Amino acid sequence: MQRIASIAAMVDQHASDAAFLWFRRRREIDGPILGETDIGRIDQRLNANLEGLMASGKAGWEAAQAHFADYTEPGELFVLGVLALRWGEAEAVASAVDAAATLGEVGVSGLSGAIARTPRENLGPFVAEWLDARDARLRGLGLAALWHHRVDPGARLGDLLSNPDPDVRRRAFRLAGGLKRRDLLPAVLDGLDGDTSRERLTAALAACLLGETRSANPVLDRIVLAEPDLAAAAIELRLLTTPLKTGKAWLQERLTQPALRATATAAIGLFGDRSVVPWLIAKMREPELVFAAGLALRDLFDVDFNDTDLFTIDPAVLGKEFESLTASPLPVADRVTAWWDEGRGGGDHETFHSMRRLRLDAMRAALAKPDAPLTDWRRTRRFPAWM
């Protein structure tokens, strides 16, 4: 990198804005609130700030380093990683990797985001080195690059599936499933007995993508019962791979279990059965279920609820018993009732697909066709930020 004349305040603002925009993108990229247009607008602003840092040369790198020193967060690490990888300087990349180590798992996430945003041609030399490294963190980064850019490493993937580190194996399972490597199914099935619950969940996902749902479903059932942090993902995969009638009965049983009520309520929209709306409205009047009911409602309709008044970010609007809630936005039961009674949600509106919907559609397509790879639903359309 070169020393280029620049305005320090502008360079500093680029570093700050890039970190913030990536953090927001990361929070919304698989969620039910924003669609590909919304994420595309964030991408335009994020790219502009990254280009500003790149054009600033060494001053841009120093600004990114200063921000990471002041705010040791994944967003600031992402900016460091993007600059280092795009410049392709080994010393800068090593510095970003070392910085990621100070943040643990969230550090890997930040650097993984930087890898996803780096052109393949810039990554080649580093990925080969990472995959050959003894350090499990580096191998994990190599697998992250293969995943984000959907590259099949051939026979090497089989070796990575038996790596001693559970996180390396987990990332290898995800890649094997997403690329539909049926030749690796025996190793994937071995992963159903993996060391960690996250490894077992990812192995179950890979098994389902490879057509072996019967072996995966018992593992998913155990995760739902024993791992609250993973229950939502496990329930979602279970329902996507279970026939409709059987899936409804399975979910109904979870709705009767107090520890799973909210998670199961949030998943009920996956069936696409709008006759459940009155039941959801009733749950919107219960503080412990209101947020989950709102999530289910979003799954049922191709509506951009951001353009309606059916949700609020102020829990006090819902009543005193809701004031302590921190999750948002929350559905307003009376407004949803009026909207539903007026036209059963069919009103005059443009079709809207959230990023969550795009992810679910990609999953359904990959599960339905044995040879169809899991497409990258995160590749958003780019729109000018001012439109």
Side-chain angles (χ1 to χ4, degrees), residues 157-235:
L157 186 53
D159 297 332
L160 293 165
L161 287 171
S162 60
N163 190 273
D165 185 83
D167 189 62
V168 171
R169 294 196 302 268
R170 180 179 64 83
R171 293 177 182 277
F173 289 137
R174 180 178 64 173
L175 186 61
L179 295 178
K180 295 298 183 78
R181 287 287 303 271
R182 284 194 57 82
D183 58 307
L184 298 175
L185 180 58
V188 168
L189 294 179
D190 288 342
L192 297 175
D193 295 317
D195 296 338
T196 70
S197 53
R198 291 186 68 199
E199 179 185 0
R200 294 190 293 273
L201 176 60
T202 308
L205 168 62
C208 290
L209 288 169
L210 296 176
E212 191 54 51
T213 58
R214 283 196 306 174
S215 298
N217 283 344
V219 176
L220 294 172
D221 292 349
R222 290 193 290 272
I223 291 173
V224 168
L225 288 174
E227 302 290 343
D229 292 342
L230 301 177
I235 287 176

Coordinates of all heavy atoms in Angstrom, one line a residue, residues 157-235:
L157 N -11.7 -32.2 0.3 CA -12.8 -32.0 1.2 C -13.0 -33.2 2.1 O -13.4 -33.1 3.3 CB -14.1 -31.7 0.4 CG -15.3 -31.3 1.2 CD1 -15.1 -30.2 2.2 CD2 -16.5 -31.0 0.3
G158 N -12.8 -34.4 1.6 CA -12.9 -35.6 2.4 C -12.0 -35.6 3.6 O -12.3 -36.0 4.7
D159 N -10.7 -35.1 3.4 CA -9.8 -35.0 4.5 C -10.2 -34.0 5.5 O -10.1 -34.3 6.7 CB -8.4 -34.6 3.9 CG -7.8 -35.6 2.9 OD1 -8.1 -36.8 3.1 OD2 -7.0 -35.2 2.0
L160 N -10.8 -32.9 5.1 CA -11.2 -31.9 6.0 C -12.4 -32.4 6.9 O -12.6 -31.9 8.0 CB -11.6 -30.6 5.3 CG -10.4 -29.9 4.6 CD1 -10.9 -28.9 3.6 CD2 -9.5 -29.3 5.7
L161 N -13.2 -33.3 6.3 CA -14.3 -33.8 7.1 C -13.9 -34.7 8.3 O -14.7 -34.9 9.2 CB -15.2 -34.7 6.2 CG -16.1 -33.9 5.2 CD1 -16.7 -34.9 4.2 CD2 -17.1 -33.1 5.9
S162 N -12.7 -35.1 8.3 CA -12.1 -35.9 9.4 C -11.1 -35.2 10.2 O -10.3 -35.8 10.9 CB -11.6 -37.3 8.8 OG -10.5 -37.0 7.9
N163 N -11.0 -33.9 10.0 CA -10.1 -33.1 10.8 C -10.3 -33.2 12.3 O -11.5 -33.3 12.7 CB -10.2 -31.6 10.3 CG -9.1 -30.7 10.9 OD1 -9.2 -30.2 12.0 ND2 -8.0 -30.6 10.1
P164 N -9.3 -33.2 13.1 CA -9.5 -33.3 14.5 C -10.3 -32.1 15.2 O -10.9 -32.3 16.2 CB -8.1 -33.3 15.1 CG -7.2 -33.7 14.0 CD -7.9 -33.2 12.7
D165 N -10.3 -31.0 14.5 CA -11.0 -29.8 15.1 C -12.5 -29.8 14.7 O -12.8 -29.9 13.5 CB -10.4 -28.5 14.6 CG -11.0 -27.3 15.3 OD1 -10.5 -27.0 16.4 OD2 -11.9 -26.7 14.7
P166 N -13.4 -29.7 15.7 CA -14.9 -29.8 15.4 C -15.3 -28.6 14.5 O -16.3 -28.8 13.7 CB -15.5 -29.8 16.7 CG -14.5 -29.3 17.7 CD -13.2 -29.7 17.1
D167 N -14.7 -27.4 14.6 CA -15.2 -26.3 13.8 C -14.8 -26.5 12.4 O -15.5 -26.1 11.5 CB -14.6 -25.0 14.4 CG -15.2 -23.8 13.7 OD1 -16.5 -23.6 13.8 OD2 -14.5 -23.0 13.0
V168 N -13.6 -27.0 12.2 CA -13.2 -27.3 10.8 C -14.1 -28.4 10.2 O -14.6 -28.2 9.0 CB -11.7 -27.8 10.8 CG1 -11.4 -28.4 9.4 CG2 -10.8 -26.7 11.2
R169 N -14.4 -29.4 10.9 CA -15.4 -30.4 10.4 C -16.7 -29.8 10.1 O -17.4 -30.1 9.1 CB -15.5 -31.6 11.4 CG -14.2 -32.4 11.6 CD -14.6 -33.7 12.3 NE -15.2 -33.5 13.6 CZ -14.6 -33.4 14.8 NH1 -13.2 -33.5 14.8 NH2 -15.2 -33.3 15.9
R170 N -17.2 -28.9 11.0 CA -18.5 -28.3 10.8 C -18.6 -27.5 9.5 O -19.5 -27.7 8.7 CB -18.8 -27.4 12.0 CG -20.1 -26.7 11.9 CD -20.4 -25.8 13.1 NE -19.4 -24.7 13.2 CZ -19.5 -23.6 12.6 NH1 -20.5 -23.4 11.8 NH2 -18.6 -22.6 12.7
R171 N -17.5 -26.8 9.3 CA -17.5 -26.0 8.0 C -17.4 -26.9 6.8 O -17.9 -26.6 5.7 CB -16.3 -25.0 8.1 CG -16.5 -23.9 9.1 CD -15.3 -22.9 9.2 NE -15.5 -21.9 10.2 CZ -16.2 -20.8 10.0 NH1 -16.8 -20.5 8.8 NH2 -16.3 -19.9 11.0
A172 N -16.7 -28.0 7.0 CA -16.5 -29.0 5.9 C -17.9 -29.7 5.6 O -18.2 -29.9 4.4 CB -15.5 -30.0 6.2
F173 N -18.6 -30.0 6.6 CA -20.0 -30.6 6.5 C -20.9 -29.6 5.7 O -21.6 -30.0 4.8 CB -20.6 -30.9 7.8 CG -20.0 -32.0 8.5 CD1 -19.7 -32.0 9.9 CD2 -19.6 -33.2 7.9 CE1 -19.2 -33.0 10.6 CE2 -19.0 -34.3 8.5 CZ -18.8 -34.2 9.9
R174 N -20.9 -28.4 6.1 CA -21.7 -27.4 5.4 C -21.4 -27.3 3.9 O -22.3 -27.3 3.0 CB -21.5 -26.0 6.0 CG -22.4 -24.9 5.4 CD -22.2 -23.6 6.0 NE -20.8 -23.1 6.0 CZ -20.5 -21.9 6.4 NH1 -21.3 -21.0 6.9 NH2 -19.2 -21.4 6.2
L175 N -20.1 -27.3 3.6 CA -19.7 -27.3 2.2 C -20.0 -28.5 1.4 O -20.5 -28.5 0.3 CB -18.1 -27.0 2.1 CG -17.6 -26.8 0.7 CD1 -18.1 -25.5 0.1 CD2 -16.0 -26.7 0.8
A176 N -19.9 -29.7 2.0 CA -20.2 -30.9 1.4 C -21.7 -31.0 1.1 O -22.1 -31.5 0.0 CB -19.8 -32.1 2.3
G177 N -22.5 -30.6 2.0 CA -24.0 -30.6 1.8 C -24.4 -29.5 0.7 O -25.1 -29.9 -0.2
G178 N -23.8 -28.3 0.8 CA -24.2 -27.3 -0.1 C -23.8 -27.6 -1.6 O -24.5 -27.2 -2.5
L179 N -22.7 -28.3 -1.7 CA -22.2 -28.7 -3.1 C -22.8 -30.0 -3.6 O -22.4 -30.5 -4.6 CB -20.7 -28.7 -3.1 CG -20.0 -27.4 -2.8 CD1 -18.4 -27.6 -2.8 CD2 -20.3 -26.3 -3.9
K180 N -23.6 -30.7 -2.7 CA -24.2 -32.0 -3.0 C -23.1 -33.0 -3.3 O -23.2 -33.8 -4.3 CB -25.2 -31.8 -4.2 CG -26.4 -31.0 -3.9 CD -27.2 -31.6 -2.8 CE -28.5 -30.8 -2.5 NZ -29.5 -31.0 -3.4
R181 N -22.1 -33.1 -2.4 CA -21.1 -34.1 -2.6 C -21.6 -35.5 -2.0 O -21.2 -35.8 -0.9 CB -19.8 -33.6 -1.9 CG -19.1 -32.5 -2.7 CD -18.4 -33.1 -3.9 NE -17.5 -34.1 -3.6 CZ -16.2 -33.9 -3.2 NH1 -15.7 -32.7 -3.2 NH2 -15.4 -34.9 -2.9
R182 N -22.4 -36.2 -2.7 CA -23.0 -37.4 -2.2 C -21.9 -38.5 -2.0 O -22.1 -39.4 -1.2 CB -24.0 -38.0 -3.2 CG -25.4 -37.2 -3.1 CD -26.5 -38.0 -3.8 NE -26.7 -39.3 -3.2 CZ -27.4 -39.6 -2.1 NH1 -27.9 -38.6 -1.5 NH2 -27.5 -40.8 -1.7
D183 N -20.8 -38.4 -2.6 CA -19.7 -39.3 -2.4 C -19.2 -39.2 -1.0 O -18.5 -40.2 -0.5 CB -18.5 -39.1 -3.4 CG -18.0 -37.7 -3.3 OD1 -18.8 -36.7 -3.4 OD2 -16.8 -37.5 -3.1
L184 N -19.5 -38.1 -0.3 CA -19.0 -37.9 1.1 C -20.1 -38.2 2.1 O -19.9 -37.9 3.3 CB -18.5 -36.5 1.3 CG -17.3 -36.1 0.4 CD1 -17.0 -34.6 0.5 CD2 -16.1 -37.0 0.7
L185 N -21.2 -38.8 1.7 CA -22.3 -39.0 2.6 C -21.9 -39.9 3.8 O -22.3 -39.6 5.0 CB -23.5 -39.7 1.9 CG -24.7 -40.0 2.7 CD1 -25.3 -38.7 3.4 CD2 -25.8 -40.7 1.9
P186 N -21.1 -40.9 3.7 CA -20.7 -41.7 4.9 C -20.0 -40.9 5.9 O -20.3 -41.0 7.1 CB -19.8 -42.8 4.3 CG -20.3 -43.0 2.9 CD -20.6 -41.6 2.4
A187 N -19.1 -40.0 5.5 CA -18.5 -39.1 6.5 C -19.4 -38.1 7.1 O -19.3 -37.8 8.3 CB -17.3 -38.4 5.8
V188 N -20.4 -37.6 6.3 CA -21.4 -36.7 6.8 C -22.2 -37.4 7.9 O -22.5 -36.8 9.0 CB -22.3 -36.2 5.7 CG1 -23.5 -35.4 6.3 CG2 -21.5 -35.2 4.8
L189 N -22.6 -38.6 7.7 CA -23.4 -39.4 8.6 C -22.6 -39.6 9.9 O -23.2 -39.6 11.0 CB -23.9 -40.7 8.0 CG -24.9 -40.6 6.9 CD1 -25.3 -41.9 6.3 CD2 -26.1 -39.8 7.3
D190 N -21.4 -39.8 9.8 CA -20.5 -40.0 11.0 C -20.6 -38.7 11.8 O -20.5 -38.7 13.1 CB -19.1 -40.3 10.6 CG -18.9 -41.7 10.1 OD1 -19.8 -42.5 10.3 OD2 -17.8 -41.9 9.4
G191 N -20.7 -37.5 11.2 CA -20.8 -36.3 11.9 C -22.0 -36.1 12.7 O -22.1 -35.2 13.6
L192 N -23.0 -36.9 12.5 CA -24.2 -36.8 13.3 C -24.0 -37.2 14.8 O -24.8 -36.9 15.6 CB -25.3 -37.7 12.7 CG -25.8 -37.4 11.3 CD1 -26.8 -38.4 10.8 CD2 -26.5 -36.0 11.3
D193 N -22.8 -37.9 15.0 CA -22.4 -38.2 16.3 C -21.2 -37.3 16.8 O -20.4 -37.7 17.6 CB -22.0 -39.7 16.4 CG -23.1 -40.6 16.2 OD1 -24.2 -40.3 16.7 OD2 -23.0 -41.6 15.4
G194 N -21.1 -36.1 16.2 CA -20.0 -35.2 16.4 C -19.8 -34.8 17.9 O -20.7 -35.0 18.7
D195 N -18.7 -34.1 18.1 CA -18.4 -33.7 19.5 C -19.2 -32.6 20.0 O -19.4 -32.5 21.2 CB -16.9 -33.3 19.5 CG -16.0 -34.4 19.2 OD1 -16.4 -35.6 19.4 OD2 -14.8 -34.1 18.8
T196 N -19.7 -31.7 19.2 CA -20.5 -30.5 19.6 C -21.8 -30.5 19.0 O -22.1 -31.0 17.9 CB -19.7 -29.2 19.3 OG1 -19.8 -29.0 17.9 CG2 -18.3 -29.2 19.8
S197 N -22.8 -29.8 19.6 CA -24.1 -29.7 19.1 C -24.1 -29.0 17.8 O -24.9 -29.3 16.9 CB -25.0 -29.1 20.1 OG -24.5 -27.8 20.6
R198 N -23.3 -27.9 17.6 CA -23.3 -27.2 16.4 C -22.7 -28.1 15.2 O -23.2 -28.0 14.1 CB -22.4 -25.9 16.5 CG -22.9 -24.9 17.4 CD -22.0 -23.6 17.4 NE -22.1 -23.0 16.1 CZ -21.2 -22.1 15.7 NH1 -20.1 -21.8 16.5 NH2 -21.3 -21.5 14.5
E199 N -21.8 -28.9 15.6 CA -21.3 -29.8 14.5 C -22.4 -30.8 14.1 O -22.6 -31.1 12.9 CB -20.0 -30.6 15.1 CG -19.5 -31.6 14.1 CD -18.4 -32.4 14.6 OE1 -18.0 -32.2 15.8 OE2 -17.8 -33.3 13.9
R200 N -23.1 -31.3 15.1 CA -24.2 -32.3 14.8 C -25.3 -31.6 14.0 O -25.8 -32.2 13.1 CB -24.7 -32.9 16.1 CG -23.7 -33.7 16.8 CD -24.3 -34.5 18.0 NE -24.8 -33.7 19.0 CZ -24.1 -33.3 20.1 NH1 -22.8 -33.6 20.1 NH2 -24.6 -32.5 21.0
L201 N -25.6 -30.4 14.3 CA -26.6 -29.7 13.6 C -26.2 -29.5 12.1 O -27.0 -29.7 11.2 CB -26.9 -28.3 14.2 CG -27.9 -27.4 13.5 CD1 -29.3 -28.1 13.4 CD2 -28.1 -26.1 14.2
T202 N -25.0 -29.0 11.9 CA -24.5 -28.8 10.5 C -24.4 -30.1 9.8 O -24.7 -30.2 8.6 CB -23.2 -28.1 10.5 OG1 -23.2 -26.9 11.4 CG2 -22.8 -27.7 9.1
A203 N -24.0 -31.2 10.4 CA -24.0 -32.5 9.8 C -25.4 -32.9 9.4 O -25.6 -33.5 8.4 CB -23.3 -33.5 10.7
A204 N -26.4 -32.6 10.3 CA -27.8 -33.0 10.0 C -28.2 -32.2 8.7 O -28.9 -32.7 7.9 CB -28.6 -32.7 11.2
L205 N -27.9 -30.9 8.7 CA -28.2 -30.1 7.5 C -27.6 -30.7 6.2 O -28.3 -30.9 5.2 CB -27.7 -28.7 7.7 CG -27.7 -27.8 6.4 CD1 -29.1 -27.6 5.9 CD2 -27.1 -26.4 6.7
A206 N -26.3 -31.1 6.3 CA -25.7 -31.7 5.1 C -26.3 -33.0 4.8 O -26.5 -33.3 3.6 CB -24.2 -31.9 5.4
A207 N -26.7 -33.8 5.7 CA -27.3 -35.1 5.5 C -28.7 -34.9 4.8 O -29.0 -35.6 3.8 CB -27.5 -35.9 6.8
C208 N -29.4 -33.9 5.2 CA -30.7 -33.6 4.6 C -30.5 -33.1 3.1 O -31.2 -33.5 2.2 CB -31.5 -32.5 5.4 SG -32.1 -33.1 7.0
L209 N -29.5 -32.3 2.9 CA -29.3 -31.8 1.6 C -28.8 -32.9 0.7 O -29.0 -32.9 -0.6 CB -28.2 -30.7 1.6 CG -28.6 -29.4 2.2 CD1 -27.5 -28.4 2.4 CD2 -29.7 -28.7 1.2
L210 N -28.2 -34.0 1.3 CA -27.8 -35.1 0.5 C -28.8 -36.2 0.4 O -28.5 -37.3 -0.1 CB -26.5 -35.7 1.1 CG -25.3 -34.7 1.0 CD1 -24.0 -35.3 1.7 CD2 -24.9 -34.4 -0.4
G211 N -30.0 -35.9 0.9 CA -31.1 -36.9 0.8 C -31.3 -37.8 1.9 O -32.2 -38.7 1.8
E212 N -30.6 -37.7 3.0 CA -30.6 -38.7 4.1 C -31.3 -38.0 5.3 O -30.8 -37.9 6.4 CB -29.2 -39.1 4.5 CG -29.2 -40.3 5.4 CD -30.0 -41.5 4.9 OE1 -29.8 -42.0 3.8 OE2 -30.8 -42.0 5.7
T213 N -32.6 -37.7 5.2 CA -33.4 -37.1 6.2 C -33.7 -38.0 7.4 O -33.8 -37.6 8.5 CB -34.7 -36.4 5.7 OG1 -35.5 -37.5 5.1 CG2 -34.4 -35.4 4.7
R214 N -33.9 -39.3 7.1 CA -34.3 -40.3 8.1 C -33.2 -40.3 9.2 O -33.5 -40.5 10.4 CB -34.5 -41.6 7.5 CG -35.9 -41.8 6.8 CD -36.2 -43.2 6.6 NE -35.2 -44.0 5.9 CZ -35.2 -45.3 5.7 NH1 -36.2 -46.0 6.2 NH2 -34.3 -45.9 5.0
S215 N -31.9 -40.3 8.8 CA -30.9 -40.3 9.8 C -30.7 -39.0 10.5 O -30.3 -39.0 11.7 CB -29.5 -40.7 9.1 OG -29.6 -41.9 8.5
A216 N -31.0 -37.9 9.9 CA -30.8 -36.6 10.4 C -31.9 -36.2 11.4 O -31.6 -35.5 12.4 CB -30.8 -35.5 9.3
N217 N -33.2 -36.6 11.2 CA -34.3 -36.1 12.0 C -34.2 -36.5 13.5 O -34.5 -35.6 14.4 CB -35.6 -36.5 11.4 CG -36.0 -35.7 10.2 OD1 -35.4 -34.6 10.0 ND2 -36.9 -36.2 9.4
P218 N -33.8 -37.7 13.9 CA -33.6 -37.9 15.3 C -32.6 -37.0 16.0 O -32.7 -36.6 17.1 CB -33.2 -39.4 15.3 CG -33.7 -40.0 14.1 CD -33.6 -38.9 13.1
V219 N -31.5 -36.7 15.2 CA -30.5 -35.8 15.8 C -31.1 -34.4 16.0 O -30.9 -33.7 17.0 CB -29.3 -35.7 14.8 CG1 -28.3 -34.7 15.3 CG2 -28.7 -37.1 14.7
L220 N -31.9 -34.0 15.0 CA -32.6 -32.7 15.1 C -33.5 -32.6 16.3 O -33.6 -31.7 17.1 CB -33.3 -32.3 13.9 CG -32.5 -32.1 12.6 CD1 -33.4 -32.0 11.4 CD2 -31.6 -30.9 12.7
D221 N -34.2 -33.7 16.5 CA -35.2 -33.8 17.7 C -34.4 -33.6 19.0 O -34.9 -32.9 19.9 CB -35.9 -35.1 17.7 CG -36.9 -35.2 16.5 OD1 -37.1 -34.2 15.8 OD2 -37.4 -36.3 16.2
R222 N -33.3 -34.3 19.1 CA -32.5 -34.2 20.4 C -32.0 -32.7 20.6 O -31.9 -32.2 21.7 CB -31.4 -35.2 20.3 CG -31.8 -36.6 20.5 CD -30.7 -37.6 20.8 NE -29.8 -37.7 19.6 CZ -29.9 -38.6 18.7 NH1 -31.0 -39.5 18.7 NH2 -29.0 -38.7 17.7
I223 N -31.6 -32.1 19.5 CA -31.1 -30.7 19.6 C -32.2 -29.8 20.0 O -32.0 -28.9 20.8 CB -30.5 -30.3 18.2 CG1 -29.1 -31.0 18.0 CG2 -30.2 -28.8 18.2 CD1 -28.6 -30.8 16.6
V224 N -33.4 -30.0 19.5 CA -34.5 -29.1 19.8 C -34.8 -29.2 21.3 O -35.0 -28.2 22.0 CB -35.8 -29.6 19.1 CG1 -37.0 -28.9 19.6 CG2 -35.6 -29.2 17.6
L225 N -34.7 -30.4 21.9 CA -34.9 -30.6 23.3 C -33.8 -30.1 24.2 O -34.1 -29.6 25.3 CB -35.2 -32.1 23.6 CG -36.5 -32.6 23.1 CD1 -36.6 -34.1 23.3 CD2 -37.7 -31.9 23.8
A226 N -32.6 -30.2 23.8 CA -31.5 -30.0 24.7 C -30.7 -28.7 24.5 O -29.9 -28.3 25.3 CB -30.5 -31.2 24.6
E227 N -30.9 -28.1 23.3 CA -30.0 -26.9 23.0 C -30.9 -25.7 22.6 O -31.2 -25.5 21.5 CB -29.1 -27.3 21.8 CG -28.2 -28.5 22.0 CD -27.1 -28.2 23.0 OE1 -26.9 -27.0 23.3 OE2 -26.5 -29.1 23.6
P228 N -31.3 -24.9 23.6 CA -32.2 -23.8 23.3 C -31.6 -22.8 22.3 O -32.4 -22.3 21.5 CB -32.3 -23.1 24.7 CG -32.0 -24.2 25.7 CD -31.0 -25.1 25.0
D229 N -30.3 -22.6 22.3 CA -29.8 -21.6 21.3 C -29.8 -22.1 19.9 O -29.7 -21.3 18.9 CB -28.3 -21.3 21.7 CG -28.2 -20.5 23.0 OD1 -29.2 -19.9 23.4 OD2 -27.1 -20.5 23.5
L230 N -30.0 -23.4 19.7 CA -30.0 -24.0 18.4 C -31.4 -24.5 18.0 O -31.6 -25.0 16.9 CB -29.0 -25.2 18.3 CG -27.5 -24.8 18.5 CD1 -26.7 -26.1 18.5 CD2 -27.0 -23.8 17.5
A231 N -32.3 -24.4 18.9 CA -33.6 -25.0 18.7 C -34.4 -24.4 17.5 O -35.0 -25.2 16.7 CB -34.5 -24.8 19.9
A232 N -34.3 -23.1 17.3 CA -35.0 -22.5 16.1 C -34.5 -23.1 14.8 O -35.3 -23.4 13.9 CB -34.8 -21.0 16.2
A233 N -33.2 -23.2 14.7 CA -32.6 -23.7 13.4 C -32.9 -25.2 13.2 O -33.2 -25.6 12.1 CB -31.1 -23.5 13.4
A234 N -32.9 -25.9 14.3 CA -33.3 -27.3 14.2 C -34.7 -27.5 13.9 O -35.1 -28.4 13.1 CB -32.9 -28.0 15.5
I235 N -35.6 -26.8 14.5 CA -37.0 -26.9 14.2 C -37.3 -26.5 12.7 O -38.1 -27.2 12.0 CB -37.9 -26.0 15.1 CG1 -37.9 -26.5 16.5 CG2 -39.3 -25.8 14.6 CD1 -38.6 -25.7 17.6

